[in-house]
Amino acid sequence: MTDPLALYRELVIEHSRSTKYTGTLPSATCSATLHNPLCGDTITVHLEVNDAGIITNARYEAQGCAIAKAMASMMSERIIGQAVAQAKSWSVLSQAAVTGDDQLGFHELTAMIALPARRRCATLPWDTLGAALQAASSAEA
């Protein structure tokens, strides 16, 4: 069995250095920004959602620690091509995953069980995703 902390370290290093999904998205149909005042992380998520409710593109802007940046990168990679409803459910379930109730199979989040002080860093991108999708839903109503 793979050591979750070793997997976590490997993924954080790889994704925190990645620029594949960073930057703005001029074609975004929704965006949101959240800030964690405890550590200073700020994440902005830009999404392009088509008329069928599929996330066709995602970008993020991150200021803060490697964990927040890495999780934003991994999240962006996972949500492109997914239905909005699926992404919303992942956003909610990410909170449980960092405390041990992993219904997602997102090993990078379950590694946070051993690092309780860093859980908010890992969930901030997911919360920002949820806020962006909520803003999109409100705009449609």
Side-chain angles (χ1 to χ4, degrees):
M1 179 168 203
T2 303
D3 173 23
L5 283 177
L7 174 64
Y8 157 81
R9 286 184 193 104
E10 183 181 314
L11 287 170
V12 166
I13 290 168
E14 175 188 337
H15 280 274
S16 68
R17 293 179 180 165
S18 174
T19 58
K20 184 174 182 179
Y21 300 104
T22 59
T24 61
L25 185 60
S27 59
T29 54
C30 58
S31 297
T33 300
L34 293 180
H35 177 71
N36 180 0
L38 296 176
C39 68
D41 294 339
T42 299
I43 302 287
T44 301
V45 172
H46 306 284
L47 303 172
E48 182 179 306
V49 179
N50 69 17
D51 292 339
I54 304 297
I55 299 169
T56 57
N57 208 343
R59 294 287 181 272
Y60 70 91
E61 298 173 88
Q63 294 179 348
C65 72
I67 293 171
K69 290 176 182 178
M71 292 301 160
S73 174
M74 287 183 255
M75 178 197 71
S76 298
E77 189 172 83
R78 286 184 189 263
I79 63 171
I80 294 173
Q82 298 298 319
V84 166
Q86 178 69 64
K88 280 183 182 178
S89 72
W90 287 346
S91 175
V92 172
L93 292 173
S94 69
Q95 297 299 322
V98 298
T99 60
D101 183 16
D102 184 21
Q103 299 175 36
L104 299 170
F106 291 1
H107 302 293
E108 66 274 12
L109 288 172
T110 56
M112 300 311 295
I113 295 166
L115 303 165
R118 305 309 298 270
R119 290 177 185 163
R120 182 66 181 134
C121 302
T123 58
L124 183 63
W126 290 99
D127 292 344
T128 310
L129 168 66
L133 294 172
Q134 183 60 40
S137 296
S138 297
E140 292 174 2

